[in-house]
Amino acid sequence: MAKSGILQVGPYPQWDEEPLNEAFAVHRYFEAEDKGALLAKVGPEVRGIATRGELGANRAMIEACPHLEIISVYGVGFDAVDLAACRERGIRVTNTPDVLTNDVADLGVAMMLCQSRGMIGAETWVKDGSWASKGLYPLKRRVWGRRAGVLGLGRIGFEVAKRLKGFDMEIAYSDVGPKSFAEGMEFIADPVKLAERSDFLFVTLAASADTRHIVGRDVIAALGAEGMLINISRASNIDEDALLEALESGALGSAALDVFEGEPKLNPRFLKLDNVLVQPHHASGTIETRKAMGKLVRDNLTAHFAGNPLPTPVL
């Protein structure tokens, strides 16, 4: 039986590459020098697309594959997939939720701790001899007992909140409505009001047209000169121009960011700031989780071509 043709948009770890190639006829889009020529050649053979959350699949790619049936996303975010084009043609879309939830929450909390306690600068202080020559490291801010806001109490937001309870923090959240499972947390519908009462604001929403720049000038101003913004969601949820202006002026105290517009080529203004912790979009970056994500990508493809229910459908 002939293998189903798959367009692989970006590279995966070797432990995923090998089984993907064993199960499917894989066309490696990311290795092609002339990507348009590759699509023109293999597009008619492609029945599935295996992509990553930040790479997605745009309308041009989808239209170049007339027999496309499914797009399987390695990641929880699917905003880079043209869902309208998929709906028009009845193309199925899947992602990899749940398996990465806890690791993403872990990194968000770690970023808060690292930035609030100045751990990157403190390590440099030791290694460059400043501790010996200049004495004690400048004082930083505590985390325990302070106020945290969670913007988007979905799977990841809820796991962040669970971890914050261990620091005896006062936790509030914003979402489309109150959540029955949010015991001990205050619901605040307005993101500006949430930011106003928070020392730390975690952004954990799914990205969509409705959430684009939901963290804009008003939210950032409300968080204020003592506040910290932590983003482990999508870059599009934050107005980066407003964020940079506030960080540069001191209107916002600090930020800890795992995602950026145009990544990995982020705005160089971020690199000049000492009140920003920058991370390379690796919140799900553990061996255990990445293996589970890769398996779920393949499981969705395999289920589809076998005519079985999809494990984690989006469309």
Side-chain angles (χ1 to χ4, degrees):
M1 185 175 178
K3 295 179 179 180
S4 298
I6 299 293
L7 186 70
Q8 183 183 345
V9 180
Y12 296 133
Q14 190 60 36
W15 57 67
D16 291 322
E17 296 276 1
E18 291 178 359
L20 191 71
N21 280 284
E22 288 174 9
F24 306 103
V26 178
H27 305 287
R28 295 159 72 85
Y29 176 82
F30 60 98
E31 289 184 345
E33 291 186 11
D34 188 335
K35 291 177 170 52
L38 176 71
L39 284 176
K41 179 181 178 183
V42 307
E45 304 170 23
V46 170
R47 295 178 62 198
I49 290 176
T51 187
R52 301 201 312 248
E54 78 277 16
L55 300 176
N58 60 25
R59 180 176 287 271
M61 178 180 289
I62 292 167
E63 291 179 346
C65 304
H67 304 297
L68 181 63
E69 301 170 21
I70 182 171
I71 298 173
S72 188
V73 179
Y74 179 92
V76 69
F78 48 84
D79 49 297
V81 175
D82 192 322
L83 296 182
C86 293
R87 289 190 183 98
E88 290 167 13
R89 288 179 41 192
I91 296 166
R92 304 302 305 272
V93 178
T94 65
N95 65 344
T96 59
D98 297 322
V99 295
L100 52 68
T101 299
N102 285 289
D103 278 339
V104 175
D106 281 353
L107 187 76
V109 174
M111 289 164 66
M112 172 191 70
L113 288 165
C114 187
Q115 180 70 330
S116 190
R117 296 300 304 270
M119 292 174 67
I120 302 297
E123 182 185 45
T124 301
W125 190 261
V126 175
K127 288 184 173 180
D128 70 6
S130 295
W131 189 16
S133 64
K134 300 177 183 178
L136 297 177
Y137 187 61
L139 298 178
K140 299 299 176 182
R141 296 298 302 268
R142 72 166 50 153
V143 167
W144 69 269
R146 298 179 73 195
R147 300 169 303 168
V150 181
L151 182 54
L153 201 71
R155 295 180 183 93
I156 294 170
F158 183 62
E159 289 299 326
V160 167
K162 282 170 59 179
R163 286 153 174 75
L164 298 179
K165 287 182 179 180
F167 295 97
D168 293 326
M169 300 182 85
E170 297 177 30
I171 304 165
Y173 69 97
S174 285
D175 210 299
V176 293
K179 302 295 184 182
S180 60
F181 53 80
E183 185 179 350
M185 297 180 236
E186 180 184 2
F187 172 68
I188 301 176
D190 183 359
V192 175
K193 295 294 186 184
L194 179 69
E196 195 171 58
R197 56 76 62 203
S198 298
D199 299 307
F200 304 95
L201 181 64
F202 288 82
V203 185
T204 53
L205 319 135
S208 68
D210 292 336
T211 65
R212 179 171 175 78
H213 290 184
I214 190 170
V215 179
R217 295 182 189 281
D218 291 346
V219 171
I220 293 167
L223 191 53
E226 297 296 324
M228 181 189 300
L229 180 69
I230 302 107
N231 190 11
I232 47 173
S233 62
R234 283 291 200 228
S236 62
N237 289 329
I238 294 178
D239 181 340
E240 279 197 358
D241 288 337
L243 175 60
L244 281 162
E245 289 171 13
L247 288 167
E248 289 167 342
S249 69
L252 176 65
S254 62
L257 309 170
D258 188 46
V259 288
F260 303 87
E261 294 282 4
E263 61 185 45
K265 297 180 180 178
L266 65 159
N267 191 316
R269 290 164 66 189
F270 282 115
L271 306 180
K272 299 175 183 177
L273 293 167
D274 59 10
N275 57 347
V276 180
L277 173 68
V278 294
Q279 297 287 287
H281 198 159
H282 74 137
S284 65
T286 67
I287 292 170
E288 297 88 348
T289 284
R290 291 292 171 86
K291 284 185 174 180
M293 288 168 62
K295 183 177 184 298
L296 193 46
V297 165
R298 298 190 302 277
D299 286 349
N300 276 297
L301 292 169
T302 300
H304 173 78
F305 294 126
N308 296 325
L310 298 175
T312 51
V314 173
L315 284 181

